Structure formats: C-alpha cells, structure tokens
Amino acid sequence: MHAATALASDHPIARAATVVPIQPAVRREPPTQRSPRCSACAMRAFCMPPELSADDLKKLDSLICSTRSVRRGDALYRAGDAFQSIYAVRAGSFKTMVMHRDGREHVTGFQIPGEALGLDGIGTGQHNGDAIALEDSVVCIIPFAQLEAMCREIKPLQHYIYQMMGSEIVRESRQMMLLGTMTAEQRVATFLLGLSRRFKARGFSAAEFHLRMTREEIGCYLGMKLETVSRMFSKFQRERLVHANGKTIRIVDPDALARV
Amino acid sequence: MHAATALASDHPIARAATVVPIQPAVRREPPTQRSPRCSACAMRAFCMPPELSADDLKKLDSLICSTRSVRRGDALYRAGDAFQSIYAVRAGSFKTMVMHRDGREHVTGFQIPGEALGLDGIGTGQHNGDAIALEDSVVCIIPFAQLEAMCREIKPLQHYIYQMMGSEIVRESRQMMLLGTMTAEQRVATFLLGLSRRFKARGFSAAEFHLRMTREEIGCYLGMKLETVSRMFSKFQRERLVHANGKTIRIVDPDALARV
DNA sequence: CGCATGTTTGATATAAGTCAATATATGTGG
DNA sequence: CCACATATATTGACTTATATCAAACATGCG
C-alpha cells in the first residue's frame, strides 16, 4: 500500500464514518453523530488499553457514543473554550497551537488517527490553545466527567488515562529539548523520523508519506522560519537522505538522517 | 520577611523535617523517614485538593508516610530508573533534565516547595530524565500504585491528580512557545517573572529572591548559552528593570519586564 | 483554468554563539 | 578562620546559524 494516502480523507477509516454533510457558511452547533462502536474500531489499539473485558468494552461504548466532523481549517476547539471532552482522532489530522497575547503563535503538535486531543483543558477547565483540522477530519468525543467516573470503576482504563497524560508530558519534554538544543537541520531530521515512526506504527509505509501541513506550520512547530525548513529539505535532498517533492516525502536513508 | 532565603535549607519548612544525617561516600539505599502528616503540612495547599474531608485526609496521611532527603547535587531519580512514586518538594529545590544520547542535555524545569516531581515516569514506567537537588532538599514520597487505588475512592483526589498532570502539560506547552518563538531577552524576562509569581504564591517576596541555579542551568532551561543569560541580566540592570547581584535578584520594574 | 497560496532559492542582516581574559564567589583543608 | 583551589559570573571581540527581504516558481483548489 502506498502511504501517501495515510492522512487523506478517503482513507478507509474516514470512509467507515458516515459521510460529512456540507456545512452552510453560517456558524451553528458543530455536527455530531452516533459513532460505530469502539469495540469495532480499527484505531482501538491506539486509543484504549488492550486488556479490557467484554463487559468493560460495553461500558466504554456507552461512553464514547458520538463523533464530530471538522472541516479543513476549522477548529475542533479554541483557546478559552470550556473544557468538556477529550477527543481521539478517528480520521484526518490536526495541529494544536498556542498563541501569545502579542499574536505570536506556536504549533505544539500534530495529531494523526489514534492520537488524543484536548488534554490541555484538564488543568484549568478551559482549553489552553486551538486544535485546527489540517484536512476534513473526524474525532471521537469522550466526555471527560463521565470518563473520570468510569475510571473509578475500571482500573485498566484509569491506568491508561494516566499513561496517556504521562506520555504527553514526556513527548513535550522531548520537544523542549529539540527546541532548546538542536540545530535547524537536526530538528527537521527528527521531525521526519518521528512522523515516519508514527505512520509505521499505524501500518503505513515508514519510507513514504504525505505531509498535510505547510512549511510554515512545520517551521512554527520546530521553532524556525518556513524558508529554513525548505532549505533543510533541499539540503537532505542534495545529500540523498530524503526525497522531497512538495508535500510528498520519501525517506531514502533513515540511518543517516538519524545521525545528522 | 526577606525572600532571599526562600529556597535556603534553613527555611522553616526544611527545619520542620528531621535533620539529614551525613551521608558516607558509598552508595546505599536513600535515606527515608516517616514524615509529619499532610494534615499538618504548610505546603498542603499546593500539593493537595482543598476540599478533602477529615476522613479523606486521614487516608491520605496513611499513603504519604515517608519523606526523603536529597543532598545538593544528588539525584532524586535518574533517567531509566523504575517509576514507583511521584514526589512533592517539601523543602529545597530541584532541576529536572533530559539527556540526548549524544550527551546534549536540557533542563525541563525547576521545582520549588509544593511542586510535583516524577510525573515523567507515569507514561512508560521508567523515569524519562533526572531530578537533581539544587540544594539540600526534602521530598514527600507518594507511591503511585497506592495513589491510583486511592483515586478510585476519593473523587476530589482523582480530579486533583488529573488537574496536576493537565497543568504540567500546559506549562510545558508554554515553555515550548518560549523556546520556539521568543528572543533571549524575552525568555529571561519571562523566566524571572515566572519565578517571582511562584514565590509570591508561597508567601515570599515577589520582588526579591535568591536563585539556586547557575547561569548555565538557566541557559540550559531557556535554550541559550550562559554568556547570553549573563548579558541579559546586565542589560536589564542597565535599563533599571532588575537589580542582579550574583544570585540575588530584585525585580525593580515588573511591568516593564513583562512588556519586553 | 486561473489566481491565491505555498515553495524554493539567493543576497544580506542580525541575534546569539564561541573563544578568551578577567573577576568574583564558594567551599575545603591546613 | 584564613588561604588557596575551584567553580561561577562578567565582559569583549569575533564568528556563524538563522532570520529577513525579495523574486521567481509551482501547486492545487474552487
């Protein structure tokens, strides 16, 4: 299978969700709908602990009973929104970003199917940043108050949520190290290898994939300007480490890339 | 009260803990001892949810029944150590750091009394980085497995732990923005104002305090070289925003510092 | 198919890094 | 308790990685 479609909205997982109705320009309640069950979901291995009993899974299905479609460029939530739920990406992809009062903004992460969104609201009850769809996407809605209640009953679920949050803390501290200590070249190499690893874990090609974000968004994530991102892609291409054709990336020499 | 002693080991909170026995050079089991109760602890407002019943507090006292002393420069834990417990700083201060295989290291945070340590182990069961005491310090040990069990019984405690982890996620994303988008001058200003705010919340002077970390550690936290940190301190001094005499800091014009 | 949006590349500017010398703390053993 | 050794901090001169500005080029979406 060709992994260039990894994040495309015609991906099998996206197709499994009901077709998104065309949205009128007028703002209204975001479209939600009943979802297929967790127990039947292809992404379950990424969202949920493996050791749940059939009985636990049934409870879980009663909790996560709706999905939401978000069109490319639209926000799943914005900074300051009241925190109600966390989300699991079911299809598509997102960026999360924080903004400083002076308008300076920074991308804190990119999320692909099976990954969580919305943890930034747990601390204060308000989301700390925006989550923007990079393409037409679908998320599962997990109401946090009910999840908390269920965690008091289902020990593996409780443990899994702690682990998920703990892993996010570790991911962020790695990103701080990247931003604090690496050169532009190393940051871009690390970024590509990280994406590659995540695609591979989901059964897509580790070598070739399609970026859904712009050079500017990558730069904003890696703490550099879009021109620098572009120059590093060109440099890796000259050195035969990566073949970059616009948004299509083929990693030619992952070992050399890791040594950069 | 003069806040220059905010982190000094003769601080009242430190004195409340039993005196640390001198350690022989030989490595041995870290010294732990029974602690005074949470219910009587001056730092409780920072470690624990306010709405606990007397009964809940009693349970909590049975959970957090030991402290550990860590001498200046020693590690509370190191990367790769099995994760057993989280910790609350009772007296003193720490830095947490992550190291890349090539030896490059980065400071991910500084912790003062009432703040948590060890959350980086929850995700994988191993600590992701080191926690090093910046001065002779004391921590409360909170065995995580038992904490988890207690969270299934005491709802406010469960909620508090989620909030604590959520707040750490938000703190880290702010630090990513700092590292990704701010100038050296803005980073140092933000660092000083952040410390000031935390001291103030603990009843110490927001205007004058004592740094327990070196310029190099500050630089490693803020993603710049120690010389740059020093130059920024000198610059703020020339501009009458801050008076910096070695490790003693007096914030002269906090509003101007925030506008930098 | 056309225009807005995104990308690449080059020339130049600049913030921060590096190297080096000096100054000032801090801690230790006599 | 002082003197020395070591660690930490400051400052200056120079270098460099990355930002900035600008122009040409490609892409893809409506």
Side-chain angles (χ1 to χ4, degrees):
Chain A
M1 173 187 176
H2 198 260
T5 58
L7 293 176
S9 49
D10 65 351
H11 183 277
I13 296 160
R15 274 194 266 110
T18 321
V19 172
V20 186
I22 308 292
Q23 293 301 300
V26 187
R27 178 103 179 175
R28 58 182 57 191
E29 274 304 290
T32 65
Q33 45 201 99
R34 295 193 65 76
S35 77
R37 324 264 74 166
C38 279
S39 44
C41 178
M43 280 293 123
R44 194 181 94 209
F46 296 98
C47 304
M48 288 299 153
E51 70 266 36
L52 291 182
S53 68
D55 193 45
D56 291 342
L57 262 178
K58 205 151 72 179
K59 287 187 197 164
L60 206 60
D61 280 341
S62 74
L63 170 68
I64 306 170
C65 58
S66 62
T67 63
R68 181 171 150 196
S69 298
V70 187
R71 315 211 67 204
R72 180 180 142 86
D74 285 354
L76 173 60
Y77 55 78
R78 291 205 177 268
D81 285 359
F83 168 70
Q84 302 289 352
S85 308
I86 61 174
Y87 306 90
V89 180
R90 190 178 178 78
S93 53
F94 288 81
K95 65 173 172 180
T96 47
M97 50 197 303
V98 287
M99 195 178 295
H100 204 249
R101 36 185 161 65
D102 59 13
R104 192 174 28 212
E105 50 185 50
H106 184 75
V107 172
T108 54
F110 297 110
Q111 292 77 26
I112 64 175
E115 295 180 334
L117 276 165
L119 302 181
D120 68 340
I122 297 175
T124 59
Q126 296 204 322
H127 286 288
N128 183 245
D130 302 353
I132 309 291
L134 295 175
E135 62 193 300
D136 293 353
S137 301
V138 182
V139 297
C140 300
I141 302 175
I142 307 165
F144 191 72
Q146 291 165 251
L147 177 66
E148 260 188 302
M150 200 165 288
C151 281
R152 288 196 299 278
E153 288 173 22
I154 306 175
K155 192 173 162 178
L157 182 62
Q158 178 202 31
H159 194 70
Y160 188 78
I161 302 301
Y162 283 128
Q163 283 193 338
M164 186 168 84
M165 295 182 73
S167 298
E168 177 65 7
I169 289 171
V170 169
R171 185 194 71 80
E172 288 192 344
S173 59
R174 283 198 223 282
Q175 190 67 6
M176 285 195 276
M177 146 149 305
L178 177 145
L179 291 167
T181 75
M182 292 186 186
T183 63
E185 188 182 17
Q186 293 168 327
R187 293 180 206 191
V188 174
T190 304
F191 169 70
L192 291 176
L193 290 171
L195 266 187
S196 170
R197 184 184 44 72
R198 286 152 74 198
F199 284 136
K200 187 178 180 192
R202 282 158 183 76
F204 301 119
S205 166
E208 187 166 353
F209 46 86
H210 210 88
L211 300 175
R212 305 306 304 205
M213 65 296 279
T214 66
R215 300 288 190 265
E216 181 164 29
E217 287 164 332
I218 296 170
C220 205
Y221 176 58
L222 298 177
M224 67 189 72
K225 293 295 160 184
L226 67 99
E227 293 94 330
T228 307
V229 176
S230 181
R231 281 184 234 276
M232 292 309 144
F233 279 5
S234 302
K235 183 162 190 283
F236 289 150
Q237 180 128 341
R238 275 198 306 279
E239 294 165 351
R240 307 286 152 105
L241 303 184
V242 166
H243 184 93
N245 185 355
K247 291 193 153 134
T248 304
I249 299 290
R250 184 155 41 82
I251 296 183
V252 177
D253 189 344
D255 298 339
L257 205 57
R259 282 193 303 269
V260 158
Chain B
M1 174 187 174
H2 197 260
T5 57
L7 294 176
S9 50
D10 64 351
H11 183 274
I13 297 162
R15 273 192 268 110
T18 323
V19 171
V20 186
I22 307 291
Q23 293 301 300
V26 187
R27 177 106 179 172
R28 58 180 58 191
E29 273 304 288
T32 64
Q33 44 199 99
R34 296 195 62 79
S35 76
R37 321 265 77 164
C38 278
S39 45
C41 176
M43 280 293 123
R44 194 182 94 209
F46 295 98
C47 304
M48 287 299 152
E51 69 267 33
L52 291 182
S53 69
D55 192 44
D56 291 341
L57 264 178
K58 206 152 72 183
K59 288 187 196 163
L60 205 59
D61 280 341
S62 74
L63 170 68
I64 306 169
C65 59
S66 62
T67 63
R68 180 170 151 198
S69 297
V70 186
R71 316 211 66 205
R72 177 179 141 89
D74 284 354
L76 173 59
Y77 55 78
R78 291 205 176 268
D81 284 359
F83 168 70
Q84 302 289 352
S85 308
I86 61 174
Y87 307 90
V89 180
R90 190 178 177 80
S93 52
F94 289 81
K95 65 173 172 181
T96 47
M97 50 198 303
V98 287
M99 196 179 295
H100 205 249
R101 36 185 162 63
D102 59 14
R104 190 176 29 211
E105 51 186 49
H106 183 75
V107 173
T108 54
F110 296 112
Q111 292 77 26
I112 63 176
E115 296 180 334
L117 276 166
L119 302 182
D120 69 341
I122 297 176
T124 59
Q126 296 205 323
H127 286 288
N128 183 243
D130 303 353
I132 309 291
L134 295 175
E135 61 194 301
D136 293 354
S137 300
V138 183
V139 297
C140 300
I141 302 174
I142 307 166
F144 191 71
Q146 291 165 252
L147 177 66
E148 260 189 303
M150 200 165 288
C151 280
R152 287 198 298 277
E153 287 172 23
I154 306 176
K155 192 172 163 178
L157 183 62
Q158 179 202 31
H159 194 69
Y160 188 79
I161 302 301
Y162 284 128
Q163 284 193 337
M164 187 169 84
M165 295 183 72
S167 298
E168 178 64 7
I169 289 171
V170 169
R171 184 193 74 77
E172 288 191 345
S173 59
R174 284 198 224 283
Q175 189 68 8
M176 285 194 276
M177 147 150 301
L178 176 144
L179 292 166
T181 75
M182 292 187 186
T183 64
E185 188 182 19
Q186 294 169 327
R187 293 180 207 193
V188 175
T190 303
F191 169 70
L192 290 176
L193 290 171
L195 265 188
S196 169
R197 182 183 46 74
R198 285 151 73 198
F199 284 137
K200 187 178 179 193
R202 283 157 183 76
F204 300 120
S205 167
E208 188 165 353
F209 46 86
H210 210 87
L211 301 175
R212 306 305 306 205
M213 67 295 283
T214 66
R215 299 289 189 266
E216 181 164 28
E217 288 164 332
I218 296 171
C220 206
Y221 176 58
L222 297 178
M224 67 188 74
K225 293 294 158 184
L226 66 98
E227 293 95 329
T228 306
V229 176
S230 184
R231 280 184 236 276
M232 293 307 145
F233 280 5
S234 301
K235 183 162 191 281
F236 290 151
Q237 181 128 342
R238 276 198 305 280
E239 294 167 350
R240 309 284 152 106
L241 304 184
V242 166
H243 185 93
N245 187 356
K247 291 192 154 137
T248 304
I249 299 291
R250 185 156 41 81
I251 295 183
V252 176
D253 189 344
D255 297 339
L257 204 57
R259 282 192 303 271
V260 158

